[in-house]
Amino acid sequence: MAWENHSVLMDFVFLAYPNCPELQILCFVGIGLAYALIISGNVLIVVSIQTEDRLHTPMYYFLGGLSGVELCYTAVVVPHILANTLHSEKTITLLSCATQMVFFIGLGSADCFLLASMAYDRYVAICHPLQYPLIMTITLCVRLVMASVVIGLFLSVQLVAFIFCLPFCRARGIEHFFCDVPPVMRLVCATSHIHELSVLVAATLAIAVPFFFIATSYALIVSTVLKLQSAAGRSRAFSTCSSHLTVVLLQYGCCAFMYLRPNSSYHPKQDQFISLVYTLGTPFLNPLIYTLRNSEMKGAIGKVLSRSCIPPKQIE
């Protein structure tokens, strides 16, 4: 009934974009450069893992899956942001807005579930090293990556369907760069705590539940590592987890701030900045975090780059 009352062709207008032409060009160049670095960094990781046999291990398969998800995650909104930056009419239809939100929230949730899977991989490797090859098979890795994406999209579809079944007010201005939950919820006329609670529950399932598994895995890891007699062994064990922990803190810090809080604490300008951090910053920093402290990954990327720079005649 709500979709019958709304026109599917109804337009929303994004209000966060600058009106000054100079600022528009500056934003386009900055975001475009960041997006190019995101694509190149994550594609390099995926190609390196696929081409290097020594990286065909569960840890690197998860990393490749994370890079693949983040490539799709940024592709959902960043090209649209770039187009709107220079376009005079910064509008989107209701149906397109709902579709964008489904994939943005779904792939963002898949990121969280993938990070939980990676934490489980580290737990098995450190706490049960002898059983690791038997437990963490490639088949299990593929299933966990696929399950992360399917669960993330399933939760997202439920959340977005609920939001777009609510009545919208006459105001059509979204104080944001793209369709995200907090700014779209500001346009809903139904001021009920039940609606706000429902969104909070969905966000908790997608964010807090994976974080619980990550925290539990690392609590068990710390307990096991502290029992090691060798200081070098403890340092090596913590070093293998440091990159993952850095990414977890970055991802969950932004997500928790955006989604695990009451709608009344929404601040448009502040949230627009935070949204750009987790939309552009996290996918850009993740490849750097995972490669700078990983000699195998750096070596594999170096080989891929050297092969791509060799002229065809030299290869023959």
Side-chain angles (χ1 to χ4, degrees), residues 117-129:
S117 299
M118 294 171 78
Y120 175 70
D121 172 72
R122 293 298 83 206
Y123 158 73
V124 177
I126 294 173
C127 299
H128 304 283

Side-chain angles (χ1 to χ4, degrees), residues 62-76:
F62 282 127
L63 178 56
L66 185 68
S67 292
V69 168
E70 290 189 339
L71 282 170
C72 298
Y73 169 76
T74 51
V76 172

Side-chain angles (χ1 to χ4, degrees), residues 11-306:
D11 287 344
F12 291 117
V13 181
F14 296 111
L15 305 178
Y17 293 91
N19 294 320
C20 176
E22 290 79 8
L23 284 178
Q24 289 176 352
I25 294 173
L26 185 63
C27 288
F28 181 86
V29 172
I31 294 173
L33 179 61
Y35 189 43
L37 293 173
I38 288 169
I39 293 174
S40 57
N42 284 287
V43 166
L44 271 175
I45 285 179
V46 172
V47 172
S48 299
I49 292 171
Q50 288 296 319
T51 56
E52 283 295 315
D53 291 338
R54 62 176 177 167
L55 299 184
H56 291 177
T57 62
M59 181 179 74
Y60 290 109
Y61 272 118
F62 282 127
L63 178 56
L66 185 68
S67 292
V69 168
E70 290 189 339
L71 282 170
C72 298
Y73 169 76
T74 51
V76 172
V77 295
V78 178
H80 191 250
I81 291 176
L82 289 172
N84 278 338
T85 302
L86 299 180
H87 201 269
S88 58
E89 295 183 1
K90 307 175 194 322
T91 60
I92 188 170
T93 64
L94 182 139
L95 184 58
S96 297
C97 184
T99 303
Q100 185 184 71
M101 193 185 295
V102 163
F103 285 102
F104 179 75
I105 300 297
L107 293 171
S109 301
D111 252 5
C112 296
F113 286 108
L114 264 176
L115 290 173
S117 299
M118 294 171 78
Y120 175 70
D121 172 72
R122 293 298 83 206
Y123 158 73
V124 177
I126 294 173
C127 299
H128 304 283
L130 298 179
Q131 298 176 345
Y132 182 78
L134 300 175
I135 297 174
M136 294 305 300
T137 62
I138 299 302
T139 302
L140 178 61
C141 292
V142 172
R143 288 176 179 175
L144 286 174
V145 171
M146 292 179 63
S148 298
V149 175
V150 170
I151 293 172
L153 289 174
F154 175 78
L155 292 174
S156 176
V157 167
Q158 305 301 311
L159 174 62
V160 173
F162 170 77
I163 291 174
F164 281 85
C165 281
L166 297 173
F168 286 98
C169 302
R170 291 187 176 183
R172 296 289 180 260
I174 299 178
E175 290 279 354
H176 211 46
F177 299 100
F178 55 90
C179 291
D180 201 0
V181 174
V184 172
M185 283 295 292
R186 299 288 292 180
L187 303 182
V188 172
C189 289
T191 56
S192 170
H193 292 294
I194 296 176
H195 301 139
E196 189 175 330
L197 183 62
S198 300
V199 174
L200 189 61
V201 168
T204 300
L205 289 173
I207 299 172
V209 170
F211 185 77
F212 170 78
F213 284 107
I214 294 171
T216 302
S217 297
Y218 275 104
L220 296 172
I221 288 171
V222 170
S223 176
T224 300
V225 170
L226 292 178
K227 294 176 184 177
L228 297 176
Q229 298 297 323
S230 168
R234 289 195 297 268
S235 176
R236 187 167 58 253
F238 282 127
S239 179
T240 61
C241 300
S242 59
S243 298
H244 181 256
L245 273 174
T246 305
V247 172
V248 167
L249 293 174
L250 183 64
Q251 175 86 2
Y252 276 89
C254 294
C255 288
F257 179 84
M258 287 297 296
Y259 302 111
L260 297 182
R261 58 177 181 155
N263 194 35
S264 57
S265 62
Y266 174 72
H267 300 289
K269 297 299 180 183
Q270 182 178 338
D271 287 14
Q272 289 162 17
F273 174 76
I274 297 295
S275 71
L276 287 180
V277 170
Y278 73 75
T279 304
L280 295 171
T282 305
F284 168 70
L285 290 174
N286 285 358
L288 292 177
I289 293 169
Y290 277 113
T291 54
L292 289 178
R293 295 179 58 87
N294 191 315
S295 57
E296 287 186 336
M297 197 73 243
K298 283 190 288 188
I301 290 176
K303 286 184 178 180
V304 171
L305 291 174
S306 62

